[in-house]
Each structure stands twice: as C-alpha cells, then as structure tokens.
Amino acid sequence: MSRGSWWRVLAPVAVGGAFLVFTALERRVPLRRVREAKWRHVSRNIVFAGAAAATVNLLERPVVEPLAKAVDRRRCGVLYLCRLPRPLHVVLAIVLLDYTLYAWHVLTHRVPWLWRFHLVHHVDRDLDASTALRFHAGELALSIPWRAMQIAAIGVPADALLIWQNLLLLSIFFHHSNVELPVGVERLLARLIVTPRLHGIHHSIVPAETNSNWSSGFTVWDRLHGTLRFDVPQQAITIGVPAYPAPADVTLANSFALPFRPQRPWRTFPGDGEPEPHRPATTVSELVP
Ligand SMILES: [Zn+2]
C-alpha cells in the first residue's frame, strides 16, 4: 500500500475515533449545561452527516479533486508563483485555506441566502461534537464554487487538500465539543487554535457574541480582524438563535425545510416582542487571564 493509500484509510479512522472520544468526554466533563437528551441530539445530527456525506461525495469531490490535480499539473495559483519547496507549499496552502474559510464563514452570516442555510447549523439548542455534523446539504453544495476558487487562487495540490480536509474535521469536532478542558490548557491552546470555549461564544444567542470568533482552525484570523472574544463565561451562554428557540425548530423535518421557508428576524424572539438579548458588561470569562 502506498503512503497516500494508507493516509486515505487511516485519516477517516482517526477522525471517527476523535468524534467518539469527544462524545464520551462530553458525558464525563461537560462544559455547558445541556438542554436536550444526548442521544436524540446526536442521532438527529448523524442524519445531517449522512446527507452531508452524500453531498460531498456526489457533488464536491468530483469537482475539487480533479481541480487540485489540474492546479498541480499546470502550476496555477499564487503559491506556484513563489516556487517554494514542496513541504512549505503544502503548509502555506493549508494556512491560506484556513484563512479563506474564515472569509466564507463571515459570508454565510452576512449574505441572506447563505445565512438561510448556515442558520440550520446555528439553531442547534446544544453545542457538542455532533453539531459539527449538522450542516444543511444545501450549505455544503453552495460552498463548492468557493472551495474551487480557494484551490485555484491559492494553488492547492491534492495532497494539501486531503490533509486540510482531515485537519478541519478534527478541528471542528474539537471546537464544537462540549468538553471542559482545564482553563490553563485551553488558554494556551487558544493562542493558536479555536477551542470549545471560544466557539461556544460564536454559538451564543446574543448577536454581538455570534458576530465574533469566526475562525475554524487558527485563531490568528480573528486576532487580525479584531473579532476574537474571550470575555463570555460558558455558564452564561444560551446556545442557539433568538428567533428559533423552541424544540420544534430543530427537528429534522423543520431543519431541512428551514432555508426554504419565510425567515423570522433572527435577532428577536418570535411573537412576543422580547428585546434583543444582551449580556451585562460585568461578566468575566474564565478564559480572561
Ligand atoms: Zn457560524
């Protein structure tokens, strides 16, 4: 078996194993309070994973893999202009994929027809490793042209793409997980990568908190853009979207139909004119040194 073939076999085992480990740890050392029964929540999100896997295999893979090979053959993209040693080229491709994914994440919140789909990820009422699987197939399909542009503009060869895809899966399982790490460890990790407490702030129902911590891998992009927030304690966070607070809003049927229905104004609770949620300025996060 070649090195590439081993990687293709072992990487999914490592990613699947990481999901199981995080899910087991969530029961032992939960970070935030939980509102739904664990297995109902996880099994529902696994259905999303099935639809997502079908979309990736049938639509994304036939586009991005041949594209990455063609980019390598024809030496297209910014990194090929620099004539770098191969290992450095691969590392920089991964870093730039991570940065351009930051930009895509911001777009999914800012562009109304993209938000309709990304909303399905955010309405989850608990945040755990299985939320990393809860992406509407439509969002994944809509991301294919963006992914193709990333590959062609950066100059991402197939091996860098495969490494990044697996690292990204590990990263999103980790930072969506509801696992309480020792604060000192998480503070150290947060200097470099996105951690559960940081991403928990992005999934808060408070709009000003949702509009922060956009990174998916390295925290440097949020630092660069001034969008990194440490200052919200996890026990004070309610996970979700203000306009969709009810258990009925997250069922499979309603979630799959959500992008195609009339949208509620997401910042307000439905029906009763409650004010926009906010947090008193006095709260201090455990991540703030
Ligand atoms: Zn988001």
Side-chain angles (χ1 to χ4, degrees):
M1 220 186 227
S2 71
R3 210 173 65 188
S5 310
W6 273 111
W7 174 255
R8 280 184 183 277
V9 172
L10 288 179
V13 173
V15 169
F19 173 71
L20 294 177
V21 168
F22 290 134
T23 301
L25 284 173
E26 283 165 350
R27 294 194 81 101
R28 295 178 72 93
V29 278
L31 175 61
R32 291 167 292 264
R33 60 182 186 275
V34 169
R35 295 192 285 177
E36 281 201 309
K38 181 76 172 169
W39 293 113
R40 189 189 316 144
H41 183 251
V42 171
S43 55
R44 189 197 299 127
N45 287 344
I46 284 175
V47 177
F48 278 93
T55 310
V56 167
N57 282 307
L58 295 174
L59 297 180
E60 185 184 312
R61 190 166 283 171
V63 174
V64 298
E65 288 187 357
L67 179 63
K69 284 180 187 154
V71 156
D72 203 13
R73 241 185 354 259
R74 298 181 184 194
R75 308 183 69 75
C76 302
V78 171
L79 290 179
Y80 284 99
L81 295 177
C82 307
R83 298 177 179 277
L84 301 162
R86 184 70 174 195
L88 184 59
H89 186 128
V90 168
V91 169
L92 287 180
I94 290 167
V95 169
L96 291 176
L97 280 167
D98 193 50
Y99 185 35
T100 43
L101 187 64
Y102 172 98
W104 171 253
H105 188 190
V106 174
L107 285 176
T108 61
H109 281 251
R110 300 273 188 256
V111 179
W113 52 272
L114 290 176
W115 171 247
R116 281 174 175 260
F117 290 90
H118 190 56
L119 172 64
V120 176
H121 174 64
H122 273 269
V123 294
D124 215 2
R125 299 168 74 246
D126 287 319
L127 185 65
D128 63 19
S130 77
T131 308
L133 302 169
R134 187 188 167 90
F135 283 95
H136 196 285
E139 179 177 350
L140 298 172
L142 287 168
S143 73
I144 297 170
W146 184 265
R147 189 78 74 247
M149 282 197 294
Q150 287 176 288
I151 294 166
I154 297 167
V156 180
D159 50 352
L161 181 66
L162 187 63
I163 295 168
W164 175 71
Q165 285 168 329
N166 285 290
L167 289 177
L168 179 65
L169 277 173
L170 283 178
S171 174
I172 64 171
F173 282 146
F174 171 59
H175 65 240
H176 284 93
S177 75
N178 189 26
V179 174
E180 183 175 18
L181 296 173
V183 174
V185 172
E186 186 155 346
R187 234 182 251 150
L188 211 63
L189 288 173
R191 290 178 187 203
L192 185 66
I193 59 169
V194 182
T195 63
R197 285 178 173 93
L198 285 182
H199 202 66
I201 296 172
H202 177 68
H203 276 261
S204 159
I205 63 165
V206 178
E209 292 164 13
T210 308
N211 291 327
S212 70
N213 298 358
W214 306 98
S215 299
S216 297
F218 299 113
T219 47
V220 63
W221 318 124
D222 276 306
R223 285 180 205 280
L224 220 60
H225 291 275
T227 52
L228 188 67
R229 283 191 70 162
F230 289 101
D231 60 340
V232 189
Q234 297 296 305
Q235 289 306 320
I237 291 175
T238 302
I239 296 293
V241 174
Y244 299 89
D249 294 323
V250 297
T251 60
L252 274 176
N254 285 341
S255 296
F256 276 110
L258 189 53
F260 311 106
R261 287 188 174 150
Q263 300 287 292
R264 301 171 191 162
W266 72 276
R267 289 165 180 269
T268 50
F269 288 102
D272 52 13
E274 279 189 54
E276 184 174 299
H278 70 283
R279 182 151 349 267
T282 53
T283 49
V284 175
S285 161
E286 49 290 50
L287 271 184
V288 175

Short mmCIF file of all heavy atoms in Angstrom, two decimals, residues 105 108-109 115 118 121-122 199 202-203 210 214, ligand 1:
data_model
loop_
_atom_site.label_atom_id
_atom_site.label_comp_id
_atom_site.label_asym_id
_atom_site.label_seq_id
_atom_site.Cartn_x
_atom_site.Cartn_y
_atom_site.Cartn_z
N HIS A 105 -16.97 31.81 6.19
CA HIS A 105 -17.84 31.74 7.37
C HIS A 105 -18.53 33.10 7.61
O HIS A 105 -19.73 33.16 7.87
CB HIS A 105 -17.04 31.30 8.59
CG HIS A 105 -17.88 31.02 9.80
ND1 HIS A 105 -17.37 30.80 11.04
CD2 HIS A 105 -19.22 30.93 9.96
CE1 HIS A 105 -18.34 30.60 11.91
NE2 HIS A 105 -19.48 30.67 11.27
N THR A 108 -21.33 33.48 5.16
CA THR A 108 -22.53 32.68 5.43
C THR A 108 -23.45 33.36 6.46
O THR A 108 -24.63 33.04 6.54
CB THR A 108 -22.19 31.25 5.94
OG1 THR A 108 -21.46 31.35 7.16
CG2 THR A 108 -21.42 30.45 4.91
N HIS A 109 -22.88 34.28 7.23
CA HIS A 109 -23.71 35.05 8.18
C HIS A 109 -24.21 36.35 7.56
O HIS A 109 -25.25 36.85 7.97
CB HIS A 109 -22.89 35.40 9.44
CG HIS A 109 -22.76 34.26 10.41
ND1 HIS A 109 -23.42 34.22 11.62
CD2 HIS A 109 -22.06 33.10 10.33
CE1 HIS A 109 -23.12 33.09 12.25
NE2 HIS A 109 -22.29 32.39 11.49
N TRP A 115 -27.10 32.69 4.73
CA TRP A 115 -27.49 32.56 6.14
C TRP A 115 -28.68 31.62 6.29
O TRP A 115 -28.77 30.87 7.26
CB TRP A 115 -27.78 33.94 6.74
CG TRP A 115 -28.40 33.88 8.11
CD1 TRP A 115 -29.65 34.26 8.47
CD2 TRP A 115 -27.79 33.37 9.31
NE1 TRP A 115 -29.87 34.03 9.80
CE2 TRP A 115 -28.74 33.48 10.35
CE3 TRP A 115 -26.53 32.82 9.60
CZ2 TRP A 115 -28.47 33.06 11.66
CZ3 TRP A 115 -26.27 32.41 10.91
CH2 TRP A 115 -27.22 32.53 11.91
N HIS A 118 -26.86 28.35 6.65
CA HIS A 118 -25.96 28.26 7.80
C HIS A 118 -26.75 28.31 9.12
O HIS A 118 -26.34 27.75 10.13
CB HIS A 118 -24.92 29.38 7.75
CG HIS A 118 -23.81 29.24 8.75
ND1 HIS A 118 -23.00 28.12 8.84
CD2 HIS A 118 -23.39 30.08 9.76
CE1 HIS A 118 -22.14 28.28 9.84
NE2 HIS A 118 -22.35 29.44 10.42
N HIS A 121 -27.29 25.16 11.04
CA HIS A 121 -26.21 24.77 11.96
C HIS A 121 -26.37 25.50 13.30
O HIS A 121 -26.20 24.91 14.36
CB HIS A 121 -24.88 25.13 11.30
CG HIS A 121 -23.67 24.93 12.15
ND1 HIS A 121 -23.26 23.69 12.60
CD2 HIS A 121 -22.75 25.82 12.63
CE1 HIS A 121 -22.16 23.83 13.32
NE2 HIS A 121 -21.83 25.10 13.36
N HIS A 122 -26.76 26.78 13.24
CA HIS A 122 -26.79 27.60 14.46
C HIS A 122 -28.02 27.37 15.32
O HIS A 122 -28.00 27.70 16.50
CB HIS A 122 -26.66 29.09 14.11
CG HIS A 122 -25.24 29.54 14.01
ND1 HIS A 122 -24.54 30.05 15.07
CD2 HIS A 122 -24.38 29.53 12.96
CE1 HIS A 122 -23.31 30.35 14.69
NE2 HIS A 122 -23.18 30.05 13.40
N HIS A 199 -15.47 28.86 20.58
CA HIS A 199 -16.53 28.64 19.59
C HIS A 199 -17.91 28.67 20.25
O HIS A 199 -18.90 29.02 19.59
CB HIS A 199 -16.31 27.34 18.82
CG HIS A 199 -17.04 27.34 17.50
ND1 HIS A 199 -16.72 28.20 16.47
CD2 HIS A 199 -18.11 26.63 17.06
CE1 HIS A 199 -17.54 28.02 15.45
NE2 HIS A 199 -18.40 27.07 15.78
N HIS A 202 -19.34 32.00 19.77
CA HIS A 202 -19.91 32.22 18.42
C HIS A 202 -21.32 31.64 18.32
O HIS A 202 -22.14 32.13 17.54
CB HIS A 202 -19.00 31.60 17.36
CG HIS A 202 -19.55 31.71 15.97
ND1 HIS A 202 -19.67 32.93 15.31
CD2 HIS A 202 -20.05 30.78 15.11
CE1 HIS A 202 -20.20 32.72 14.11
NE2 HIS A 202 -20.44 31.44 13.97
N HIS A 203 -21.64 30.61 19.09
CA HIS A 203 -22.97 29.98 19.02
C HIS A 203 -23.95 30.55 20.05
O HIS A 203 -25.03 30.02 20.24
CB HIS A 203 -22.86 28.46 19.20
CG HIS A 203 -22.54 27.74 17.92
ND1 HIS A 203 -23.51 27.12 17.16
CD2 HIS A 203 -21.38 27.57 17.26
CE1 HIS A 203 -22.95 26.58 16.07
NE2 HIS A 203 -21.65 26.84 16.12
N THR A 210 -22.39 36.24 18.66
CA THR A 210 -22.38 35.45 17.42
C THR A 210 -21.42 36.07 16.40
O THR A 210 -20.72 35.36 15.68
CB THR A 210 -23.79 35.38 16.81
OG1 THR A 210 -24.70 34.95 17.81
CG2 THR A 210 -23.85 34.45 15.63
N TRP A 214 -14.91 33.79 14.35
CA TRP A 214 -15.30 33.17 13.09
C TRP A 214 -14.33 32.09 12.63
O TRP A 214 -14.65 31.31 11.74
CB TRP A 214 -15.35 34.23 11.98
CG TRP A 214 -16.18 35.43 12.22
CD1 TRP A 214 -15.73 36.66 12.68
CD2 TRP A 214 -17.59 35.58 12.01
NE1 TRP A 214 -16.79 37.54 12.75
CE2 TRP A 214 -17.94 36.90 12.35
CE3 TRP A 214 -18.58 34.71 11.56
CZ2 TRP A 214 -19.23 37.38 12.25
CZ3 TRP A 214 -19.87 35.19 11.47
CH2 TRP A 214 -20.19 36.51 11.81
ZN ZN B 1 -21.43 30.50 12.19
#
